[in-house]
Amino acid sequence: MADDELSSTVLAVGLRLDGDGPLARISAEAGHPVSLTLAQLRTPGELTVPTGPVHISENPSVLALALRRFGRHCPPLVCTSGRPNTAVIHLLRRLATSGATLHYPGDFEGEGIRIGAHIVARTGATPWRMAAEDYRTAAARLPTAAPWSPTLTAAMAELRTAVVEEVVADTLLHDLAAHSAPAAHAAQTAHAATGSRTA
């Protein structure tokens, strides 16, 4: 049965969408997650999404950890809450069309790889911390084929130990820190200082 426009929702934080339509008015405020329905996402009207990385999480617990760590400076993060529904795919495609780069991590087990393959195929997202070395570090398993990395598939077949996304949440949060508001401000300040010295 196809998702209807009200029961199909997506959880997001840090998007800070611009525009004049109702979607922009209810978009994620700093440090506060929002749940958007498919009906809201399909509301016509201009919507300009800032370019830059948007990270994806399969599990709401990782989004909660990110909010706890970064608060109002949390980088853009979209949660699929497991296998993505129509609202999730619609939002991710809209973000990608507007110039955002999508980065997807997931559980190192059969269903996690299948979800990752689905999201990569449907939205053009780039796997994030989903290579063989990441798997070996996390000691994960289940030989479901990972279309972006044959060596990951081989490593999973060899180790056969499952590790869910929460196990590597600290590593994911470390990556997200580079895109938080204070880090971005520090990078801009450093760039400006370098420019003034070379002028």
Side-chain angles (χ1 to χ4, degrees):
M1 182 175 179
D3 294 335
D4 67 72
E5 291 194 332
L6 296 182
S7 64
S8 182
T9 63
V10 55
L11 186 65
V13 67
L15 293 182
R16 302 176 183 90
L17 306 180
D18 299 321
D20 298 325
L23 179 56
R25 290 196 293 271
I26 62 172
S27 66
E29 296 294 335
H32 297 284
V34 295
S35 182
L36 303 170
T37 68
L38 181 59
Q40 290 166 333
L41 292 170
R42 286 177 171 170
T43 301
E46 182 179 355
L47 178 65
T48 302
V49 180
T51 59
V54 173
H55 293 83
I56 306 165
S57 174
E58 182 185 329
N59 302 304
S61 58
V62 173
L63 187 145
L65 288 170
L67 281 171
R68 189 179 307 163
R69 174 165 177 178
F70 302 113
R72 63 188 304 271
H73 300 297
C74 189
L77 191 61
V78 175
C79 183
T80 70
S81 300
R83 190 165 185 85
N85 59 32
T86 306
V88 173
I89 296 299
H90 186 90
L91 175 59
L92 293 177
R93 284 179 166 176
R94 190 164 185 178
L95 290 170
T97 300
S98 298
T101 56
L102 307 178
H103 301 274
Y104 174 80
D107 295 339
F108 283 115
E109 43 82 36
E111 182 60 14
I113 295 299
R114 285 187 285 272
I115 291 173
H118 177 72
I119 290 176
V120 169
R122 296 288 302 277
T123 71
T126 299
W128 167 34
R129 295 285 182 176
M130 293 289 285
E133 57 270 25
D134 301 309
Y135 171 77
R136 290 180 183 277
T137 300
R141 75 154 175 192
L142 294 180
T144 299
W148 59 83
S149 177
T151 55
L152 169 60
T153 302
M156 293 175 74
E158 174 191 344
L159 297 179
R160 304 190 66 82
T161 302
V163 174
V164 296
E165 190 180 357
E166 290 88 340
V167 172
V168 294
D170 58 335
T171 303
L172 302 179
L173 293 175
H174 179 269
D175 286 355
L176 284 172
H179 302 288
S180 66
H185 177 71
Q188 291 174 353
T189 301
H191 179 74
T194 301
S196 64
R197 287 195 299 269
T198 57

